[in-house]
Amino acid sequence: MKFLPMKKQLLFSLFTCCLIWSAVAQIQTPEQFLGYKPGDRFTPHHRMVDYFEHVAANNPNVKLIQYGETNEKRPLIIAIFSSTENMAMLEEIRTDNLKRAGLMEGNPIHSIPVNWMSFNVHGNESVGMEAAISAFYTLANPANSKSQEWLKNQVIIMDPAINPDGRDRYSNWYNQKMNTTLQPDLQSMEHNEPWPGGRANHYLFDLNRDWAWQVQVESQARLKMYQQWMPQLHLDFHEQGINNPFYMAPAAEPLHEQLSPFQHEFQDIFGRNTAKYFDEMGRFYFTKERFDLLYPSYGDSYPMFNGAIGMTIEQGGGGQAGRGGFNSVGDTVTLSYRIEGHYTAALSAAEVTSQNSKRLLDEFTKFYKDNSSNPKGKYKSFVIKAESNPAQVAKLLELLDKNGIRYGKAGAKSGLKGFSYGTGKSETFATSAEDIVVSAYQPKSVLTQVFFEPNPQLNDSITYDITSWSMPYAYNLEAFAVETRLDPSGAYEKPAFVANVAGKTPVAYIAGWNGTRDAAFLAALLNQGIRVKYPEFPFEVEGKSFPAGSLLITKGGNEYVVDFDRKVTETANKFGLTLATTMSGYMDKGKDFGSPNIRVIQAPKVALVGGQGTNSLGFGEIWHFFEKELNYPLSTLELENMGRYDLSKYDVIIMPSTRGGGLNKAAQDLVTDWVKAGGKLIAIDGALNFFANKEGFALKTFDTDDEKKAAEKANEALSKQERLAPFTEGERLAISGGAAGAIYQVAMDQTHPLGYGTGGKFYTLKNNSSKYAYLTDGVNAGKIISNDSYRTGYIGYKIKSSMGGSMAIGAENQGRGEIIYFVDNPIFRGFWESGKLVLSNAIFMVGQ
């Protein structure tokens, strides 16, 4: 640090004191600024921003940064504040953390940890932003001697609303419905949100499941900022059901094996410190239950795997509580009471950070030093075979780049032994010069191991989320996990793209069909009115081979397109696609371009069913996929109105998972008639229940009546056994018939359009207990061949042994139309990348 001369130091100190004195006089309390007491009503997001700007304008030790913007154009902001001395060297404090993590060369200069607090990741967990306003005033108030003392030993970064769109969806609705006189009756309208609720963001994504995958713009912007700071502490403020008082760290099992002893210890330090204040106030709380640290994309686990102390804080109340609601014992849980809980936890975090500042920094440094030099996991290196699917490899590398995970060229090596993700067994293999190696001997060692671990260790089957997520499965790539160190032979250079140039018009431009990029290219061509075809069989022409499902953009049939060559080549260049061309429609092998087996892809008019009774997250995933990845028109329909729509306007209708009654009889008849008249219905997950075991449909949950009787008999025997089990084992027994992210290899029929581009296999992520028999009257395009197709993840013993020999993806003809069945969600949370291609097959290829 550079020191000022004594005279200048004195002048600087006097100047700063004057500013702070002025700030004390001018900073208004939240009540003074907003015009109501915290807890009297919900604050609109823009008024919170106004208040943060007010405090920042009147306190020189507060820096406000807009780090992004939501889909609905609301600002994403953080407030950074500390002592005068620390703010003067803020940039050095930031880069110190990068140096401690090995992400930047050099040695740290200062010893100031960073404490990051995030509120309202779930919009209807509505106390979050209200508590952030109150905590911000106290912590940033120059007149508060206690908080000012804490700030000498830390920089606080506060994100008051991670999810402004969801927050305003809830608060605007609630402020319109609430009674002026407090009404705690939970049957009252203000306590019952309509679909889809305020929990998720604009595209109905759960942002607390998106930290690692960064599918959404809020996550992308936040994680870009997070990577620039790499804090030592991250608190994620939530709400839970109204009947649960308050949860705080330490977390529950399963706890990931990569967590360090100090990360466990500090959670306990925080928990005990916060409990001390709760005990004084007579407030109830619980720890070490329900909220685990396994899935890597939470707001507590992701920071943990990045060396911080990540902690979830859960106040009882949630969207149902509103300004105040009765809990199960008749107490009124008010908004002001809930604010007090989060406010207290935030101040406790600031206090323990100040008390443990040196140790937080020392242990953070140790975390990175130890893991980068001696990775803890079984597998030390991960090899991605470059030839497996270049389009999907490119998408995976984008994700690694977002997370700061390093990789390089594997180089040519033979005689290697590793776990094959494809076979689920240990095998000998060799690498080529173009293969990619991701070594755990790097700064982001822990995150690397977590992303690629083939089989996460599950200490307890009762978990809050999915139990497997390994990237080679999500991207459907050939890969190996190696128990020894493999260093890159050099920097990996992404294949150079050679731009397409419009010249003499060929008979056809030919594009691959391997990933989301190709589907987006197809959508862009269709949006421009360009006719595209695909071959039902592989072909060879002019010495080049192409698989079934390749995209053909032929001169014939596109004569009406003005500037045809320029539009095709410029569109391909936009997506980074190198097109092949041919000057002949006469094939060396396969069907000529004039064959009836060359299918025209008619641009489909697509509708997506949502509304009450549908899974809002599943709806949002498809909505986002169409708008942000395909950029293709999509109509959205209400499930409860399906019996009244003119369905003839649509070629394709997609039904995400549903619950409850779903379609009424009139709607079911209308939809069935629409399919028989030539429509294509894509049913996903719970939507299959509309057709399973119903007369007139081939979808069955059992093969034969004998199998059905045997299953019923087995279930009856299990039920008797369970009735004798201890009462406390009830939850564990209940999940023994379910799945929580179990991965199965699915054999894909590459001769059917649903199998195009898959290479003959797909990995399905199973989050339900559904098992369907092979279709006897239809196409079993994706099959779980046997129980050996299981790869990883939790699935209960009641169903695991019978999952083999079942359909995962199928198609059934109904009249002139077709129903496509996806037993599992193919694009789960938008990060199950390989499923996007299979869904695109269903949308664009099937039935042409």
Side-chain angles (χ1 to χ4, degrees):
M1 177 181 178
K2 295 181 179 179
F3 291 93
L4 294 169
M6 186 62 68
K7 186 176 180 180
K8 288 187 177 179
Q9 278 192 17
L10 180 61
L11 290 173
F12 177 75
S13 298
L14 288 171
F15 175 70
T16 303
C17 287
C18 290
L19 285 176
I20 293 174
W21 180 86
S22 175
V24 172
Q26 295 183 46
I27 293 178
Q28 295 181 329
T29 66
E31 181 179 355
Q32 290 170 334
F33 186 89
L34 298 171
Y36 50 86
K37 293 179 181 179
D40 280 0
R41 64 182 294 112
F42 288 110
T43 305
H45 181 263
H46 73 275
R47 290 294 288 150
M48 176 278 293
V49 174
D50 291 344
Y51 183 68
F52 270 59
E53 289 176 342
H54 160 72
V55 174
N58 289 284
N59 186 343
N61 292 332
V62 175
K63 182 178 182 180
L64 210 60
I65 296 175
Q66 180 176 339
Y67 66 87
E69 188 176 72
T70 71
N71 290 290
E72 296 175 15
K73 305 303 180 183
R74 294 183 176 87
L76 294 163
I77 65 168
I78 54 171
I80 304 175
F81 51 99
S82 189
S83 66
T84 302
E85 294 76 15
N86 291 340
M87 292 302 289
M89 53 191 186
L90 190 63
E91 178 60 15
E92 291 176 346
I93 291 172
R94 183 187 72 81
T95 57
D96 279 349
N97 272 353
L98 302 184
K99 293 171 184 177
R100 289 186 180 94
L103 298 169
M104 180 182 284
E105 294 294 327
N107 296 314
I109 303 171
H110 309 291
S111 299
I112 305 298
V114 176
N115 177 2
W116 189 307
M117 302 182 189
S118 297
F119 297 82
N120 248 141
V121 67
H122 293 145
N124 61 0
E125 295 176 4
S126 42
V127 72
M129 197 180 82
E130 307 297 333
I133 293 170
S134 294
F136 179 53
Y137 171 71
T138 298
L139 290 170
N141 185 357
N144 190 305
S145 59
K146 185 175 288 187
S147 65
Q148 295 308 298
E149 191 65 28
W150 294 339
L151 290 176
K152 292 178 181 179
N153 298 320
Q154 66 191 296
V155 170
I156 293 179
I157 299 178
M158 182 177 288
D159 190 332
I162 286 179
N163 180 10
D165 292 350
R167 177 47 161 69
D168 269 8
R169 187 187 312 127
Y170 172 82
S171 62
N172 290 340
W173 167 81
Y174 186 87
N175 286 338
Q176 292 171 4
K177 300 296 182 182
M178 73 174 185
N179 288 281
T180 302
T181 303
L182 182 66
Q183 177 50 267
D185 176 9
L186 295 186
Q187 294 187 132
S188 187
M189 188 182 298
E190 68 193 81
H191 298 291
N192 296 278
E193 283 181 90
W195 190 95
R199 177 183 177 90
N201 76 339
H202 171 81
Y203 280 109
L204 306 186
F205 269 66
D206 185 333
L207 294 180
N208 194 41
R209 306 297 191 276
D210 193 42
W211 276 74
W213 321 131
Q214 299 172 49
V215 174
Q216 296 297 293
V217 293
E218 296 92 340
S219 305
Q220 293 163 11
R222 183 176 69 258
L223 268 299
K224 187 175 180 181
M225 180 63 68
Y226 188 96
Q227 304 287 1
Q228 294 174 23
W229 283 90
M230 297 299 290
Q232 278 69 44
L233 195 71
H234 182 263
L235 275 79
D236 193 19
F237 290 86
H238 290 258
E239 282 191 271
Q240 55 188 328
I242 194 170
N243 295 319
N244 298 324
F246 193 93
Y247 162 82
M248 57 192 170
E253 289 282 0
L255 301 168
H256 200 283
E257 62 181 346
Q258 288 283 355
L259 303 182
S260 73
F262 177 71
Q263 288 177 315
H264 291 284
E265 180 187 345
F266 193 87
Q267 284 208 338
D268 189 64
I269 291 171
F270 166 80
R272 291 183 184 277
N273 193 70
T274 309
K276 174 181 66 178
Y277 295 112
F278 274 51
D279 290 341
E280 289 174 0
M281 294 185 286
R283 295 180 65 115
F284 293 110
Y285 53 87
F286 65 94
T287 64
K288 302 180 285 293
E289 293 183 66
R290 298 195 178 186
F291 303 101
D292 59 66
L293 285 168
L294 183 71
Y295 174 66
S297 206
Y298 290 139
D300 54 5
S301 58
Y302 184 87
M304 282 285 211
F305 298 142
N306 281 275
I309 311 298
M311 294 186 287
T312 289
I313 312 296
E314 295 267 357
Q315 169 64 53
Q320 187 181 34
R323 281 197 306 141
F326 288 135
N327 63 15
S328 59
V329 297
D331 294 334
T332 302
V333 181
T334 65
L335 179 57
S336 58
Y337 177 81
R338 289 147 58 203
I339 291 173
E340 180 187 66
H342 273 347
Y343 172 88
T344 303
L347 267 59
S348 174
E351 182 180 36
V352 296
T353 300
S354 177
Q355 293 168 348
N356 296 274
S357 60
K358 183 179 185 302
R359 192 159 178 225
L360 278 165
L361 292 171
D362 290 345
E363 293 288 345
F364 181 84
T365 304
K366 185 176 186 294
F367 177 95
Y368 278 95
K369 182 180 179 181
D370 289 354
N371 285 295
S372 62
S373 61
N374 186 24
K376 186 186 298 184
K378 178 180 180 181
Y379 298 106
K380 315 297 184 185
S381 309
F382 306 92
V383 175
I384 304 164
K385 302 296 288 181
E387 71 274 10
S388 57
N389 187 326
Q392 298 293 56
V393 169
K395 292 290 288 186
L396 175 58
L397 296 186
E398 286 179 17
L399 180 68
L400 300 186
D401 289 341
K402 287 179 183 178
N403 285 282
I405 292 175
R406 299 172 181 176
Y407 50 87
K409 290 194 299 185
K413 300 181 179 71
S414 60
L416 299 173
K417 190 173 183 179
F419 172 86
S420 167
Y421 291 87
T423 65
K425 299 174 182 177
S426 181
E427 294 182 357
T428 300
F429 71 101
T431 59
S432 70
E434 301 306 314
D435 290 345
I436 299 165
V437 63
V438 188
S439 171
Y441 292 86
Q442 65 163 298
K444 291 295 187 80
S445 173
V446 169
L447 194 63
T448 297
Q449 294 171 77
V450 171
F451 270 25
F452 285 91
E453 57 190 339
N455 191 15
Q457 183 177 334
L458 192 62
N459 298 324
D460 193 327
S461 57
I462 299 177
T463 180
Y464 202 66
D465 212 276
I466 63 172
T467 55
S468 56
W469 48 82
S470 190
M471 295 296 95
Y473 296 129
Y475 287 77
N476 195 7
L477 296 174
E478 184 182 354
F480 294 87
V482 182
E483 295 183 31
T484 56
R485 179 170 184 166
L486 277 181
D487 290 325
S489 63
Y492 178 78
E493 296 180 5
K494 296 176 182 177
F497 169 63
V498 179
N500 303 280
V501 179
K504 181 181 178 183
T505 304
V507 169
Y509 293 98
I510 307 171
W513 184 254
N514 301 298
T516 308
R517 180 183 61 180
D518 305 315
F521 172 60
L522 169 63
L525 294 175
L526 295 178
N527 286 338
Q528 296 176 80
I530 296 173
R531 181 174 293 174
V532 185
K533 304 177 182 180
Y534 72 83
E536 292 186 300
F537 297 92
F539 67 94
E540 290 183 19
V541 62
E542 297 176 354
K544 293 172 283 190
S545 300
F546 301 93
S550 299
L551 300 180
L552 305 177
I553 309 105
T554 57
K555 177 169 58 176
N558 282 304
E559 299 91 344
Y560 58 90
V561 178
V562 178
D563 291 333
F564 168 69
D565 295 283
R566 180 184 60 80
K567 288 180 178 178
V568 172
T569 54
E570 287 185 358
T571 303
N573 290 341
K574 175 185 173 183
F575 292 98
L577 293 172
T578 300
L579 299 174
T581 60
T582 177
M583 291 297 183
S584 175
Y586 190 96
M587 298 300 102
D588 300 326
K589 291 183 181 179
K591 308 294 182 180
D592 297 328
F593 287 168
S595 166
N597 297 111
I598 305 295
R599 299 288 186 175
V600 175
I601 302 174
Q602 303 289 351
K605 295 177 181 177
V606 185
L608 172 64
V609 179
Q612 192 66 39
T614 62
N615 182 294
S616 62
L617 300 179
F619 172 91
E621 289 157 6
I622 299 168
W623 182 24
H624 178 267
F625 178 56
F626 268 80
E627 293 212 326
K628 292 299 182 179
E629 298 197 64
L630 294 181
N631 190 26
Y632 193 80
L634 179 73
S635 296
T636 52
L637 308 177
E638 294 273 355
L639 179 67
E640 61 186 7
N641 292 324
M642 286 298 288
R644 298 197 290 269
Y645 289 123
D646 177 6
L647 300 185
S648 66
K649 294 177 178 289
Y650 313 110
D651 306 301
V652 178
I653 294 177
I654 305 173
M655 291 190 66
S657 192
T658 56
R659 62 183 185 277
L663 293 173
N664 58 36
K665 181 64 166 58
Q668 286 186 44
D669 291 343
L670 185 67
V671 170
T672 302
D673 290 343
W674 170 81
V675 172
K676 289 180 178 179
K680 180 166 59 181
L681 181 69
I682 301 172
I684 299 172
D685 196 353
L688 272 66
N689 292 326
F690 293 135
F691 313 102
N693 304 320
K694 303 286 178 62
E695 185 178 351
F697 299 97
L699 188 66
K700 307 294 180 187
T701 54
F702 50 86
D703 285 319
T704 64
D705 288 339
D706 289 341
E707 182 183 302
K708 180 182 178 183
K709 291 175 182 177
E712 290 173 347
K713 188 175 181 180
N715 287 334
E716 184 180 350
L718 284 171
S719 297
K720 288 180 180 179
Q721 180 183 347
E722 289 175 1
R723 285 197 293 269
L724 299 175
F727 173 75
T728 53
E729 290 297 304
E731 184 178 7
R732 201 170 302 281
L733 289 168
I735 65 171
S736 63
I743 296 174
Y744 278 84
Q745 182 171 310
V746 174
M748 299 296 295
D749 182 352
Q750 295 185 83
T751 68
H752 188 272
L754 282 167
Y756 291 165
T758 63
K761 65 181 177 183
F762 169 69
Y763 296 97
T764 192
L765 185 68
K766 180 162 282 297
N767 288 300
N768 58 45
S769 59
S770 302
K771 178 206 169 185
Y772 292 92
Y774 291 144
L775 296 173
T776 55
D777 185 14
V779 177
N780 296 288
K783 303 181 288 292
I784 297 176
I785 298 293
S786 70
N787 290 333
D788 291 338
S789 301
Y790 167 79
R791 288 294 174 266
T792 184
Y794 176 78
I795 183 165
Y797 70 89
K798 290 182 181 178
I799 58 175
K800 185 176 182 180
S801 61
S802 62
M803 198 55 63
S806 64
M807 181 203 71
I809 304 169
E812 174 185 353
N813 290 323
Q814 285 280 327
R816 292 188 288 114
E818 202 160 1
I819 303 175
I820 299 169
Y821 301 118
F822 285 95
V823 177
D824 306 303
N825 181 354
I827 61 170
F828 183 72
R829 292 180 183 162
F831 88 91
W832 207 254
E833 189 66 33
S834 59
K836 295 174 184 177
L837 181 69
V838 184
L839 181 60
S840 297
N841 284 337
I843 296 164
F844 295 110
M845 301 293 198
V846 174
Q848 298 289 357

